Amino acid sequence: MDIDPTVFIVDDDQGVREAVSLLMESVGLATETYPSAQAYLDAFDAARPGCLVLDVRMRGMSGIELQQRLAAEPLHPPIIIVTGHGDVPMAVRAVQAGAVDFIEKPFHDQVLLDAVHRALQRDAEVRGQALRRADILDRLGRLTPREREILDLIVAGRRNKLIAADLGISQSTVEAHRAKVMEKLEARSLSDLMRMVLLAASGP
């Protein structure tokens, strides 16, 4: 069942948290607010889609430190850094480390809304690819050792006749295994098969 995305707002200024939350809710986006980086980290659930609107300077753990903690997770919401004028160099480093955007305080509502929509789109794309990769890995797990061996040779560019010679089996046997590989992976073409293998090899 699909879960609606949430805008997670982390700022130690209650007024900022409330203002950003109201802005997001005015366009129909669900929000959760946290007064500290640690509070968000304690509640963090990688399975929940959304994005993170994160202040740089906070008491206790900074926004940059939270970003570093989340970077160790296989999946986490895209981060939008909100910063004061004096924190711009720090915010630039945060973007270089993977944050999707940074916005200076005080900011225009539409600027933040646009950044949030971009971040939510990115999150949806990343999660979609992660689901697709998990599905492909599951299909790969259904292959027999011989089918996997033949798949590796197909991906390496070997033709059926050469695969047969390499493995000491008949060409018709190779063709039968190849057809089974295509069926199990639900690949419609060789290029489709190659894309699946490349996606399976990407990521953690």
Side-chain angles (χ1 to χ4, degrees):
M1 187 174 183
D2 290 340
I3 304 173
D4 289 336
T6 299
V7 180
F8 303 100
I9 303 157
V10 183
D11 198 302
D12 59 3
D13 185 321
Q14 182 178 351
V16 172
R17 293 197 305 273
E18 291 176 351
V20 174
S21 182
L22 285 172
L23 175 61
M24 297 300 128
E25 290 168 0
S26 73
V27 295
L29 293 172
T31 67
E32 286 183 12
T33 63
Y34 298 88
S36 69
Q38 188 62 56
Y40 172 76
L41 199 58
D42 290 343
F44 172 68
D45 180 355
R48 296 186 64 190
C51 72
L52 184 57
V53 178
L54 178 61
D55 190 22
V56 170
R57 291 193 185 276
M58 293 182 287
R59 292 181 292 275
M61 186 189 304
S62 71
I64 302 300
E65 289 171 322
L66 175 57
Q67 181 189 22
Q68 292 169 345
R69 297 279 192 96
L70 292 176
E73 299 290 336
L75 195 61
H76 66 79
I79 295 171
I80 298 167
I81 295 290
V82 178
T83 176
H85 292 288
D87 300 327
V88 170
M90 188 184 301
V92 170
R93 288 196 297 273
V95 170
Q96 291 171 339
V100 299
D101 210 341
F102 79 87
I103 297 172
E104 291 184 73
K105 296 178 183 177
F107 48 78
H108 293 292
D109 290 354
Q110 195 59 51
V111 170
L112 180 56
L113 286 171
D114 289 345
V116 165
H117 284 301
R118 285 194 299 271
L120 292 178
Q121 179 64 33
R122 177 180 291 193
D123 187 59
E125 291 169 356
V126 169
R127 289 177 186 277
Q129 181 165 312
L131 288 173
R132 172 73 169 153
R133 180 173 181 270
D135 180 54
I136 292 170
L137 289 172
D138 179 64
R139 295 182 202 177
L140 285 169
R142 301 173 199 167
L143 299 180
T144 65
R146 176 63 91 186
E147 288 165 353
R148 185 59 198 249
E149 188 176 25
I150 286 175
L151 171 62
D152 290 341
L153 290 169
I154 292 170
V155 171
R158 305 288 280 178
R159 296 184 179 277
N160 290 350
K161 184 177 181 179
L162 294 176
I163 293 174
D166 288 342
L167 300 181
I169 57 179
S170 69
Q171 187 171 331
S172 61
T173 299
V174 171
E175 290 168 355
H177 282 309
R178 183 169 182 149
K180 202 67 178 176
V181 168
M182 298 291 283
E183 177 187 339
K184 287 184 177 180
L185 294 184
E186 300 177 28
R188 297 180 297 275
S189 65
L190 179 58
S191 60
D192 195 22
L193 184 71
M194 295 292 286
R195 281 193 294 270
M196 288 183 177
V197 172
L198 287 172
L199 180 56
S202 68

